[in-house]
């Protein structure tokens, strides 16, 4: 290899490593070629010559993140080779796995958190996420292969961990999150091992103590400027995450001045928080909304259920499903909460009652022979959000058969 070739590879590796460090700290969306060039002491021309456009750099960052993640998984599972696959052992294993991946020094994990949220991934990016997901499933499958009962649960478990990782990063160190997450994860392990769900003690404790805000537009006329601004902000958040909205981006669409938001809200932070809650309340489908009437139990068989669920995980851009948008919203809030402590209470309010809508609105939606207790509802809610994001990131929509198979795995049937 020529000296110039060696130098070129070294420069590319330096740039990729710095890009991962900056993206892990400030978010992949904030990475600019200009800032990156300054941090490595090179011109933007050098970066463009090495990687082409920014998309080429991000692809190279993803390849390096995949390499580091493979190393992480090899070391992690190598350190627990032969660990008995007991309930307590698996619970401790998954909790430790999440703790390591949520740590500040796991910059490669931050890259995947961002890449999975890409609302419009290229075919090349989809293939990269597919390889990453397949790698994780393969490693978990090898570790769990000593117990044949566990194999069907590998992909649901990996999906669960993918989404729980966002919460773990935002809420690490919080006792309320720790007890609620441990209860939910324990229930997932119980289901994997064919054990009955225990009482949802921590989940109900958190539910009874929390105070959810009212819908921000309650009492506002649809044509009112306050409602208009919140609708625009909600659209932008659901499309691009919480960092997508600015005073200017909302005001431009509303065809009003940038002082209009200040007229209706004390500051931009209050507006953003109201816009987040508006995103949740406005687009929630009827079968999850608290005000929705109960469905007809007589028609609630598995096919009927799957027909209700399928549109919620649609990944076509023009008709993106509720769970795709909602999961992206939650994940983007959690990513920002790592850097902005004021968002952590919001992240906890979203995590604490996970599966509440599924549980309380189950009548007439879920078949009567499904034992959809509170912990089973949490299992399913976390799984479907994870799968909705992964489906979009991989370009592989969930069909009704996949939904039905997952429901039968995650929720016990009454005999």
């Amino acid at each position: 290899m020529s000296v110039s070739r060696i130098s070129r590879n070294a420069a590319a590796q330096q740039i990729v490593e710095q890009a991962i460090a900056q993206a892990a700290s400030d978010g992949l969306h904030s990475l600019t070629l200009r800032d990156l060039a300054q941090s490595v002491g090179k011109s933007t021309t050098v970066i463009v010559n090495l990687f082409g456009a920014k998309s080429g750099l991000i692809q190279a960052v993803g390849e390096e993140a995949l390499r580091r993640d493979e190393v992480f998984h090899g070391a992690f599972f190598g350190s627990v080779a032969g660990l008995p696959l007991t309930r307590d052992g698996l619970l401790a294993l998954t909790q430790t796995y999440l703790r390591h991946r949520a740590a500040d020094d796991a910059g490669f994990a931050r890259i995947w958190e961002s890449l999975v949220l890409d609302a419009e991934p290229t075919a090349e990016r989809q293939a990269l996420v597919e390889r990453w997901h397949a790698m994780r499933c393969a490693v978990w499958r090898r570790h769990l292969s000593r117990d044949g009962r566990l194999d069907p649960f590998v992909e649901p478990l990996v999906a669960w961990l993918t989404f729980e990782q966002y919460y773990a990063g935002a809420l690490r160190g919080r006792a309320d999150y720790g007890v609620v997450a441990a209860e939910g994860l324990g229930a997932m392990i119980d289901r994997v091992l064919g054990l009955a769900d225990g009482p949802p003690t921590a989940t109900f404790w958190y539910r009874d103590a929390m105070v959810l805000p009212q819908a921000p537009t309650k009492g506002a006329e649809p044509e009112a400027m306050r409602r208009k601004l919140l609708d625009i902000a909600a659209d932008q958040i659901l499309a691009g995450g919480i960092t997508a909205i600015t005073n200017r981006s909302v005001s431009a669409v509303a065809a009003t001045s940038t002082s209009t938001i200040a007229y209706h809200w004390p500051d931009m932070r209050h507006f953003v928080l109201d816009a987040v809650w508006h995103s949740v309340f406005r687009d929630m489908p009827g079968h999850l909304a608290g005000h929705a009437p109960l469905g007809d139990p007589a028609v609630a068989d598995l096919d009927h259920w799957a027909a209700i669920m399928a549109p919620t995980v649609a990944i076509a851009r023009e008709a993106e499903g509720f769970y795709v948008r909602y999961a992206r919203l939650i994940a983007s809030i959690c990513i920002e909460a790592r850097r902005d402590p004021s968002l952590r209470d919001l992240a906890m309010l979203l995590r604490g009652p996970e599966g509440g809508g599924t549980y309380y609105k189950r009548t007439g939606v879920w078949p009567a022979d499904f034992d959809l207790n509170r912990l089973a509802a949490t299992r399913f809610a976390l799984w479907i959000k994870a799968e909705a994001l992964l489906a979009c990131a991989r370009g592989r929509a969930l069909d009704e058969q996949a939904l039905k198979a997952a429901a039968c795995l995650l929720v016990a049937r009454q005999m």
Side-chain angles (χ1 to χ4, degrees):
M1 183 180 291
S2 67
V3 174
S4 61
R5 180 67 172 168
I6 293 173
S7 176
R8 184 180 174 87
N9 288 347
Q13 185 65 21
Q14 179 193 13
I15 291 167
V16 167
E17 289 178 357
Q18 183 60 30
I20 290 176
Q22 288 187 206
S25 174
D26 302 321
L28 196 58
H29 67 277
S30 67
L31 186 65
T32 67
L33 298 187
R34 183 183 300 277
D35 289 344
L36 182 59
Q38 289 179 347
S39 66
V40 297
K42 301 184 185 298
S43 69
T44 55
T45 301
V46 171
I47 297 177
V48 171
N49 287 340
L50 286 169
F51 301 102
K54 183 179 176 180
S55 60
L57 172 64
I58 299 301
Q59 190 71 18
V61 165
E63 293 287 352
E64 176 63 14
L66 177 57
R67 185 192 70 78
R68 294 187 187 186
D69 217 351
E70 289 174 330
V71 172
F72 164 83
H73 280 83
F76 180 82
F77 284 102
S79 69
V80 292
L83 177 72
L85 299 177
T86 62
R87 196 264 187 189
D88 289 347
L90 285 173
L91 178 57
L93 180 72
T94 49
Q95 288 177 311
T96 306
Y97 180 84
L98 283 171
R99 186 166 61 250
H100 282 320
R101 296 186 70 79
D104 288 333
D105 60 359
F108 60 90
R110 308 287 81 73
I111 299 303
W112 291 113
E113 288 170 1
S114 293
L115 290 177
V116 169
L117 294 192
D118 190 346
E120 299 183 79
T122 62
E124 190 176 26
R125 190 77 52 77
Q126 289 172 345
L128 178 63
V129 175
E130 181 69 50
R131 287 162 50 207
W132 169 72
H133 182 65
M135 178 273 293
R136 295 175 72 211
C137 289
V139 175
W140 274 97
R141 183 166 281 110
R142 282 196 299 272
H143 184 76
L144 301 179
S145 62
R146 286 169 289 144
D147 187 335
R149 296 174 300 168
L150 309 186
D151 187 71
F153 289 92
V154 168
E155 292 206 24
L157 178 61
V158 171
W160 168 295
L161 293 170
T162 299
F163 202 74
E164 190 70 74
Q165 184 179 311
Y166 290 106
Y167 285 125
L171 300 169
R172 54 194 173 151
R174 286 186 59 139
D176 53 356
Y177 169 70
V179 296
V180 170
E183 182 176 83
L185 191 54
M188 182 65 174
I189 301 301
D190 286 339
R191 182 62 186 151
V192 168
L193 294 174
L195 304 174
D197 288 321
T201 307
T203 301
F204 281 153
W205 160 78
Y206 185 82
R207 178 207 63 182
D208 293 341
M210 75 177 188
V211 178
L212 279 174
Q214 287 189 335
T217 57
K218 185 176 182 180
E221 295 297 326
E223 66 275 8
M225 178 55 72
R226 180 182 174 89
R227 171 66 178 266
K228 182 177 181 180
L229 293 170
L230 286 172
D231 277 334
I232 293 168
D235 289 340
Q236 294 180 357
I237 288 173
L238 292 169
I242 194 172
T243 60
I245 64 168
T246 64
N247 190 328
R248 188 174 299 278
S249 71
V250 175
S251 300
V253 177
T256 188
S257 72
T258 54
S259 63
T260 307
I261 289 176
Y263 176 79
H264 290 280
W265 284 270
D267 53 45
M268 192 64 186
R269 177 169 298 282
H270 281 83
F271 172 66
V272 170
L273 290 176
D274 272 1
V276 166
W277 283 114
H278 184 50
S279 304
V280 173
F281 286 112
R282 184 192 66 171
D283 286 3
M284 187 170 289
H287 71 274
L288 295 177
H291 63 270
L294 297 179
D296 181 359
V299 299
D301 60 15
L302 192 56
D303 288 335
H304 175 75
W305 172 87
I308 292 174
M309 289 295 161
T312 70
V313 292
I315 63 173
R317 196 73 184 103
E318 63 277 7
E320 201 171 53
F322 166 77
Y323 277 118
V324 181
R325 299 190 304 273
Y326 189 31
R328 191 181 297 130
L329 167 65
I330 293 173
S332 69
I333 290 169
C334 288
I335 287 175
E336 290 305 305
R338 290 181 68 98
R339 295 182 284 273
D340 184 350
S342 68
L343 291 172
R344 290 173 189 164
D345 285 344
L346 172 58
M348 187 62 210
L349 278 175
L350 293 166
R351 173 58 185 91
E354 271 283 8
T358 299
Y359 174 68
Y360 291 109
K361 304 307 299 182
R362 64 192 182 278
T363 304
V365 176
W366 282 79
D369 65 325
F370 276 74
D371 183 19
L372 193 73
N373 59 56
R374 187 63 186 83
L375 293 178
T378 297
R379 268 197 305 270
F380 180 79
L382 285 167
W383 172 84
I384 198 169
K385 291 183 182 72
E387 281 294 344
L389 281 183
L390 288 168
C392 184
R394 298 156 66 202
R396 296 175 54 176
L398 286 168
D399 59 23
E400 292 188 12
Q401 286 303 118
L403 286 165
K404 288 191 284 189
C408 293
L409 272 177
L410 295 170
V411 182
R413 308 288 286 272
Q414 297 173 349
M415 303 301 292

